[in-house]
Amino acid sequence: MKSYLVQPDKKLDLSKHDPDGRSQFDGSKDDAQQELETLNSRLSELQELLYAESKHRILIVLQAMDTGGKDGTIRRVFSGVNPQGVRVASFKVPTPEELAHDYLWRIHKQAPGNGEIVIFNRSHYEDVLVVRVHNLVPPEVWAKRYQHINDFERLLTDTGTTILKFFLNIDLDEQKKRLQSRLDNPDKHWKFNIGDLAERKRWPDYMQAYQDALEKTSTDYAPWYVIPANRKWYRDLVISRIIVESLEGLNMKYPPSENLDGVVID
Ligand code: ADP
């Protein structure tokens, strides 16, 4: 999965990342579905262990262009996981109260506690993406944020949080297909946001903003992965593998039990 890692301190050329890529799996879609089910079960076991041990904290950051598949990824990758130990935090346009604070205030409040997995559906990265593209603050303000973000993520990882960040990489054609299918299907109209069409026109600006953000904030302690996301099944498979591998690496153990020898239940 290292091929999707954004190497810290190296230049990133997002255009070299193929949204249609599937180099890490040569089986069929059905084979992938089977592997995904196995990974789902393993993730469920690991999450129970994480919850029982109550020592580590897991933060998963999902960023994508509109229709990029954040919601579907959450549904598919975490299907089967006990909802008690997983929380999704979605970040929308900041409220007046949030805007009256520093931009990380609302983010820090949602960070995971011991034994918890939190998925950020959008995140503090919006403050160097949409905010930059729409000039919501001047360049000298957003330019400082990459360093703030690295320092903030360092604080979280120094205090027991594992951070994994995924950019779901689709292309303009795929977005068109997905928008069109929302338009064609009345049951999906609720997902169709007319504002997405204006954002679509700014695609190159967003790609530039993503490229800078990923390049400047992929660190060895909080890495970014660029996930080929035109194929939903491949996206889910790759993300599941990375999360499972990362949790396996924590070498978690169930807490030692009390001595239960001779315990009798009446
Ligand atoms: P989603 O597209 O994630 O399913 P919405 O359709 O409600 O959810 O969109 C949320 C909107 O909030 C997005 O357009 C996003 O760019 C915007 N947003 C999130 N964070 C910020 C921020 N810090 N500043 C401005 N806009 C933001």
Side-chain angles (χ1 to χ4, degrees):
M1 294 300 108
K2 287 268 183 285
S3 51
Y4 301 132
L5 180 72
V6 178
Q7 296 290 341
D9 303 320
K10 292 236 172 82
K11 283 261 158 234
L12 170 69
D13 184 352
L14 251 192
S15 68
K16 295 224 167 85
H17 283 257
D18 179 8
D20 271 317
R22 46 165 298 176
S23 63
Q24 304 303 308
F25 190 77
D26 53 17
S28 67
K29 188 171 160 182
D30 283 349
D31 296 339
Q33 188 56 38
Q34 269 187 17
E35 185 182 330
L36 183 62
E37 276 167 30
T38 308
L39 288 164
N40 282 161
S41 307
R42 184 62 191 139
L43 184 58
S44 170
E45 289 164 7
L46 287 162
Q47 185 256 330
E48 184 164 320
L49 194 51
L50 182 92
Y51 190 77
E53 197 186 41
S54 195
K55 181 172 147 195
H56 299 281
R57 308 158 184 180
I58 311 296
L59 175 58
I60 293 168
V61 173
L62 293 182
Q63 284 288 157
M65 295 297 285
D66 295 319
T67 76
K70 294 181 280 100
D71 296 341
T73 300
I74 295 170
R75 209 168 44 240
R76 306 272 297 281
V77 170
F78 292 91
S79 85
V81 165
N82 181 351
Q84 281 228 91
V86 180
R87 180 159 58 82
V88 179
S90 298
F91 295 96
K92 312 272 182 187
V93 175
T95 63
E97 190 193 18
E98 288 168 348
L99 281 175
H101 293 80
D102 72 84
Y103 67 97
L104 292 174
W105 179 75
R106 66 174 183 161
I107 308 290
H108 203 167
K109 281 201 291 193
Q110 299 288 351
N114 288 343
E116 201 180 19
I117 299 178
V118 172
I119 305 154
F120 279 3
N121 183 346
R122 301 189 188 270
S123 65
H124 40 308
Y125 285 95
E126 293 291 322
D127 292 286
V128 288
L129 295 166
V130 65
V131 167
R132 167 175 166 171
V133 169
H134 284 269
N135 295 311
L136 300 180
V137 300
E140 58 275 21
V141 173
W142 58 253
K144 285 188 179 165
R145 292 183 172 173
Y146 305 106
Q147 188 61 48
H148 299 156
I149 289 174
N150 285 339
D151 291 344
F152 169 64
E153 292 181 353
R154 172 60 102 181
L155 165 73
L156 295 184
T157 55
D158 275 354
T159 50
T161 305
T162 297
I163 305 180
L164 298 170
K165 302 181 292 197
F166 299 105
F167 170 53
L168 314 181
N169 189 26
I170 59 164
D171 57 27
L172 258 178
D173 281 350
E174 181 64 23
Q175 188 190 54
K176 186 173 184 185
K177 277 189 216 148
R178 293 185 187 183
L179 286 171
Q180 191 65 50
S181 102
R182 288 180 184 182
L183 208 52
D184 295 344
N185 181 351
D187 288 348
K188 286 197 185 167
H189 281 180
W190 65 275
K191 280 192 183 183
F192 193 89
N193 180 351
I194 205 84
D196 290 354
L197 300 182
E199 292 307 277
R200 180 174 161 76
K201 293 213 168 81
R202 298 177 186 255
W203 190 277
D205 295 344
Y206 271 106
M207 287 306 111
Q208 187 62 53
Y210 266 108
Q211 180 165 291
D212 286 352
L214 270 55
E215 186 180 290
K216 292 179 199 296
T217 64
S218 193
T219 54
D220 49 5
Y221 52 90
W224 270 109
Y225 294 88
V226 178
I227 305 296
N230 276 0
R231 289 185 179 83
K232 295 174 183 172
W233 60 267
Y234 187 71
R235 166 200 81 197
D236 297 336
L237 182 68
V238 170
I239 294 179
S240 296
R241 281 184 183 171
I242 294 170
I243 294 174
V244 165
E245 195 180 293
S246 168
L247 291 184
E248 302 272 15
L250 295 176
N251 293 318
M252 296 180 286
K253 308 238 167 351
Y254 281 107
S257 54
E258 292 174 50
N259 185 355
L260 300 177
D261 293 348
V263 172
V264 176
I265 301 171
D266 296 328

